[in-house]
Amino acid sequence: MNVLRRGISTSARVIRPSLTKPFSRAYSSFRGSQSNSFRTNNSKYFVLVGGFTTLLTIGSSIYSYSQEEKIEGKKQDFEKAWPKACKEFEELLGDRFTTKLDFLENYGKEKSGYLPAQLPQAVVWPLSTEEVSKIVKICAKYQIPIIPYAAGTSVEGHTTAPKGGITMDLKRMDRVIQLNNEDMDVVVQPGIGWMDLNEYLKPHGFFLGVDPAPGACIGGMCGTCCSGTNAVRYGTMKDQVVNLTVVMADGTILKTGQRARKSSAGYDLARLFVGSEGTLGIVTEATLKVRNIPEYMAMARIGFNNVHDASAAVIEILQKGVQLGAVELFDEEMVRAVNKFRGMDLPEMPCLLFKFTGPAPHVKHDIEVVRDITKKYTPHTYHFTQSQEESEDLWAARKTAFWAAMAMKPNGRLMSTDVAVPISKPADCIQETKNDLDASFLFSPIVGHVGDGNFPVVIIFDPVNP
């Protein structure tokens, strides 16, 4: 179904076909209607998509989408498609609204490059929740698609604009609003990057528990419920969020809760929005838990004869209750890629990268437990990093795996997949996937957050002959 694309950097807008199933009665009732939109609570709502009539509930309202709606704007300049809206944006935002092609070409694309560029017709740069609300109200009034945007680190097409409209760039909303040391939480705007936030938190002895791709921003991390290498210890983004401020599709500003860690009063709205990929609103502020920087850390790598044994070792480690800081899997193709990209000399075989964190006695105990378990699955021995520089270099290999894979096929394009299974299942799933890939003509290295049952496959293909 060709719908408004997801917007990774703050939130997204894909309406999956499965989402219509819970509302099938409403769907049947409205599909036969000749009206291109409808009213609820005495207000008229509309958002553009293509394909066929689709329904989405947002709060207590139901939104209608139809192929017959006004989508000619994607073929026109913004000023011609929505002249009244253009005037209102200029009055509201001044030079923080533009339709210049030089700016538009910076948007409507995503990092992998396998999707063609689909540019917006305008870009806006709000500075506050209130401005976001006003922008959304104008878009609702004139039926203009919105693509929220900040870092643009998407590799799955979230930031493209298939129906034109505006890209809302929230990168200028990048402030740390308040750090509450005693409560161990921080209030931030959506445009701040997690790495910048960690730099801010470091002098206070804190860090954010998730670590997705370098450059990712908080808004998109909430929208996609990101994880990263630390997820095995600290959970995914939903486990970091205390509350959110969200602008709904009609411009309403909603705060999901207060800073209390627990509430038994009503729905857990914050977790409803985290991972909703923008179908429910645009995140403009987030209160996040912060974690204490570990007292002690050790890193190690160990090789395996195949990805099944490596994954099986991780399963047993987790089942024994070992609290790892992180554990990541490379297959031999990914090892070869990072060796070439970073000038390393890791043995070209499947391997696990371990991060052990905590008080020194606990770390030493965990290392011994993990060593005893892995002996059952591999004849190879551990290699522990001997310096801070070596530790950073080893983990940087993991963080740059995407670019390492791309560098192996300079003229290729990347399609990133992401598979998540229960923690008892990765060994069989990864090995079967590996067998299929080895039998194909594709260069498709595997890297995995095997500690939480998640592994991406990086598929590189020739765009001329896919």
Side-chain angles (χ1 to χ4, degrees):
M1 178 168 60
N2 185 17
V3 210
L4 283 179
R5 293 285 182 179
R6 295 174 291 174
I8 187 171
S9 298
T10 55
S11 45
R13 290 149 317 286
V14 158
I15 303 148
R16 304 178 188 277
S18 60
L19 287 178
T20 63
K21 293 179 182 178
F23 315 118
S24 57
R25 291 184 182 178
Y27 175 75
S28 298
S29 299
F30 285 105
R31 184 173 183 179
S33 173
Q34 297 302 310
S35 175
N36 287 336
S37 58
F38 58 92
R39 294 182 181 271
T40 176
N41 298 334
N42 297 319
S43 298
K44 187 176 180 181
Y45 297 102
F46 175 87
V47 179
L48 287 178
V49 298
F52 54 86
T53 305
T54 309
L55 300 178
L56 170 68
T57 60
I58 301 182
S60 61
S61 303
I62 299 178
Y63 288 70
S64 171
Y65 304 84
S66 175
Q67 186 177 24
E68 289 77 32
E69 300 293 359
K70 177 186 174 183
I71 62 173
E72 67 271 15
K74 69 177 182 177
K75 300 178 182 178
Q76 298 176 345
D77 292 337
F78 190 90
E79 295 92 335
K80 294 179 180 178
W82 296 288
K84 293 181 180 179
C86 185
K87 183 178 180 180
E88 291 189 35
F89 282 132
E90 289 174 342
E91 292 175 352
L92 174 64
L93 302 170
D95 62 3
R96 289 184 287 115
F97 164 76
T98 186
T99 59
K100 294 180 179 178
L101 183 60
D102 288 349
F103 287 95
L104 303 185
E105 288 179 341
N106 294 323
Y107 302 89
K109 296 177 284 188
E110 44 82 47
K111 293 295 184 183
S112 75
Y114 75 88
L115 284 178
Q118 296 174 301
L119 304 184
Q121 293 150 285
V123 181
V124 295
W125 290 271
L127 301 179
S128 66
T129 296
E130 290 70 24
E131 280 195 344
V132 171
S133 175
K134 291 175 182 179
I135 292 167
V136 170
K137 286 179 180 178
I138 294 173
C139 289
K141 179 179 177 181
Y142 295 104
Q143 306 172 0
I144 302 170
I146 305 171
I147 302 91
Y149 184 101
T153 55
S154 166
V155 293
E156 296 173 345
H158 302 77
T159 54
T160 61
K163 299 298 180 185
I166 69 166
T167 287
M168 183 185 292
D169 188 338
L170 293 125
K171 192 66 174 175
R172 299 185 188 184
M173 294 177 61
D174 62 353
R175 293 190 300 115
V176 175
I177 297 171
Q178 182 178 346
L179 172 63
N180 303 297
N181 284 272
E182 294 182 351
D183 294 323
M184 295 181 66
D185 66 48
V186 64
V187 185
V188 299
Q189 291 183 309
I192 189 169
W194 69 270
M195 299 175 75
D196 294 328
L197 178 57
N198 278 347
E199 287 298 314
Y200 175 90
L201 294 172
K202 188 175 181 179
H204 303 276
F206 298 132
F207 76 107
L208 184 66
V210 291
D211 61 333
C217 290
I218 296 301
M221 292 162 63
C222 291
T224 58
C225 193
C226 73
S227 56
T229 66
N230 290 337
V232 66
R233 183 66 174 262
Y234 300 105
T236 62
M237 193 63 184
K238 66 180 173 60
D239 301 301
Q240 323 306 318
V241 173
V242 178
N243 66 59
L244 298 171
T245 299
V246 181
V247 175
M248 307 292 281
D250 64 349
T252 300
I253 300 171
L254 171 70
K255 194 172 182 66
T256 64
Q258 301 303 314
R259 289 197 302 109
R261 294 294 179 95
K262 181 186 184 298
S263 173
S264 58
Y267 297 106
D268 188 351
L269 292 178
R271 281 160 185 76
L272 177 65
F273 283 99
V274 175
S276 66
E277 300 191 336
T279 56
L280 303 180
I282 300 170
V283 174
T284 61
E285 192 175 297
T287 302
L288 308 172
K289 300 174 187 177
V290 295
R291 317 288 178 162
N292 287 311
I293 294 175
E295 171 189 322
Y296 182 79
M297 180 176 66
M299 290 191 186
R301 62 171 170 80
I302 183 171
F304 291 80
N305 291 334
N306 55 68
V307 293
H308 185 278
D309 290 348
S311 303
V314 174
I315 293 170
E316 184 171 345
I317 290 166
L318 296 176
Q319 291 171 341
K320 292 294 185 183
V322 178
Q323 292 293 305
L324 296 168
V327 56
E328 296 290 303
L329 169 71
F330 282 172
D331 74 349
E332 67 275 13
E333 296 291 347
M334 186 58 79
V335 173
R336 191 173 298 117
V338 298
N339 276 347
K340 182 176 180 180
F341 187 71
R342 299 190 62 83
M344 302 177 74
D345 60 353
L346 303 178
E348 294 185 356
M349 64 178 69
C351 73
L352 292 175
L353 309 180
F354 285 102
K355 184 189 292 184
F356 301 93
T357 59
H362 291 182
V363 168
K364 292 176 181 177
H365 173 266
D366 289 344
I367 288 173
E368 291 306 314
V369 173
V370 170
R371 194 193 304 271
D372 289 342
I373 292 173
T374 54
K375 285 179 181 177
K376 305 175 186 177
Y377 297 93
T378 180
H380 305 288
T381 58
Y382 274 99
H383 172 79
F384 285 88
T385 57
Q386 301 300 312
S387 66
Q388 179 70 19
E389 182 181 0
E390 188 181 359
S391 295
E392 290 176 356
D393 196 40
L394 180 63
W395 218 250
R398 169 60 186 91
K399 285 299 185 179
T400 56
F402 170 88
W403 292 276
M406 289 286 288
M408 294 292 283
K409 302 287 184 179
N411 297 320
R413 293 291 183 268
L414 179 145
M415 180 181 293
S416 179
T417 70
D418 210 351
V419 180
V421 296
I423 62 169
S424 64
K425 303 300 182 183
D428 292 338
C429 186
I430 294 175
Q431 187 61 64
E432 290 178 16
T433 302
K434 176 69 175 167
N435 293 342
D436 290 341
L437 294 172
D438 288 346
S440 79
F441 63 91
L442 295 167
F443 175 67
S444 306
I446 291 176
V447 59
H449 307 313
V450 285
D452 61 354
N454 168 233
F455 67 98
V457 175
V458 183
I459 301 172
I460 310 293
F461 65 96
D462 182 352
V464 178
N465 184 25

